[in-house]
Amino acid sequence: MNGIMTSTMHNKDQAIVIVSELCEANKSKQIPPEIRDVCLLLLQILDKSLHLEFCVAQSCGIRPVLGRLEDFSKGFKLLLIVAEEHTFLETSLKSLRRIISFVYPGMLQTDGFIQ
């Protein structure tokens, strides 16, 4: 079970970093369709990883480690900042906020992520 949690944490971190970097690199211009598709796919992977984490946490009673929550929160905050001007990400980010509210209750309110 610990391997599943480690794998999902790694997937989440990688998805956030890559999408953030792609958005930052294309912040002043239209993102090409291929990059849009990659960003959307990575956000879907992030969403599914969070769903998996929620299911494991519910069935096994595993709770996130405090330091891990802080790292995730920082990464997600950066993602939201760099993704602001890319409207094609709005639906995916809305979905992520919804699952995050279950996986990490209180994180969105505490860190001002609610929109």
Side-chain angles (χ1 to χ4, degrees), residues 33-73:
E34 306 82 36
I35 294 177
R36 282 179 175 227
D37 291 346
V38 168
C39 289
L40 292 171
L41 178 61
L42 289 170
L43 292 180
Q44 287 177 342
I45 291 169
L46 176 58
D47 190 81
K48 299 304 180 208
S49 294
L50 287 163
H51 277 86
L52 177 60
E53 183 174 342
F54 180 71
C55 291
V56 170
Q58 293 297 303
S59 63
C60 300
I62 298 171
R63 294 288 162 224
V65 176
L66 183 58
R68 176 71 195 130
L69 175 57
E70 291 171 4
D71 290 344
F72 180 79
S73 178

Side-chain angles (χ1 to χ4, degrees), residues 84 86-95 97:
E84 275 181 352
H86 300 295
T87 57
F88 73 95
L89 297 174
E90 287 177 2
T91 301
S92 294
L93 293 174
K94 183 178 179 182
S95 178
R97 283 186 183 99

Side-chain angles (χ1 to χ4, degrees), residues 94-111:
K94 183 178 179 182
S95 178
L96 286 172
R97 283 186 183 99
R98 190 174 19 243
I99 188 62
I100 287 170
S101 70
F102 291 105
V103 177
Y104 304 123
M107 182 190 100
L108 297 174
Q109 294 84 0
T110 303
D111 291 339

